[in-house]
Amino acid sequence: MQHRENKYIDKKKQIALSLSRPSWCIPRTSILAKSSHKIFRIKTFLVRKQKQNRPIPQWIRIVTGHKIGYNSKRRHWRKTKLCL
């Protein structure tokens, strides 16, 4: 009986390890995001992410007294994907 349970647990581990991405990051429309003809909703999503991905303005550093020095949510195109 115990041998069967171990097999079941091993199968669960194999399935968990086989998924290269987390469960919340399932690429549903990755083909649409890369294509030249994009859906408007995906295009607006990409534009928003592109606008967010920039350094903070220098005046914010001056106003906050250098407490906020950089954008902590900055994303590199190759390191972190958008999970489209």
Side-chain angles (χ1 to χ4, degrees):
M1 186 73 179
Q2 213 171 19
H3 185 66
R4 286 183 185 171
E5 288 177 12
N6 287 340
K7 268 189 174 180
Y8 180 70
I9 291 169
D10 289 339
K11 275 199 169 186
K12 280 181 110 176
K13 283 182 182 178
Q14 285 175 354
I15 291 169
L17 292 173
S18 68
L19 299 173
S20 61
R21 295 181 180 188
S23 60
W24 52 267
C25 185
I26 298 169
R28 289 181 221 113
T29 57
S30 60
I31 296 167
L32 293 173
K34 294 175 187 174
S35 65
S36 59
H37 298 288
K38 293 174 183 60
I39 296 171
F40 182 73
R41 189 168 183 168
I42 290 172
K43 192 169 182 177
T44 52
F45 174 82
L46 291 170
V47 167
R48 184 177 178 193
K49 291 295 177 184
Q50 191 175 14
K51 284 181 180 178
Q52 287 176 350
N53 192 29
R54 62 181 299 270
I56 62 164
Q58 288 300 313
W59 66 269
I60 290 179
R61 292 187 72 192
I62 294 164
V63 167
T64 58
H66 298 284
K67 289 184 178 180
I68 299 172
Y70 63 96
N71 183 2
S72 59
K73 295 183 179 180
R74 197 90 194 265
R75 177 185 49 82
H76 190 263
W77 66 272
R78 207 166 196 174
K79 291 178 186 174
T80 309
K81 296 298 177 183
L82 291 174
C83 299
L84 276 175

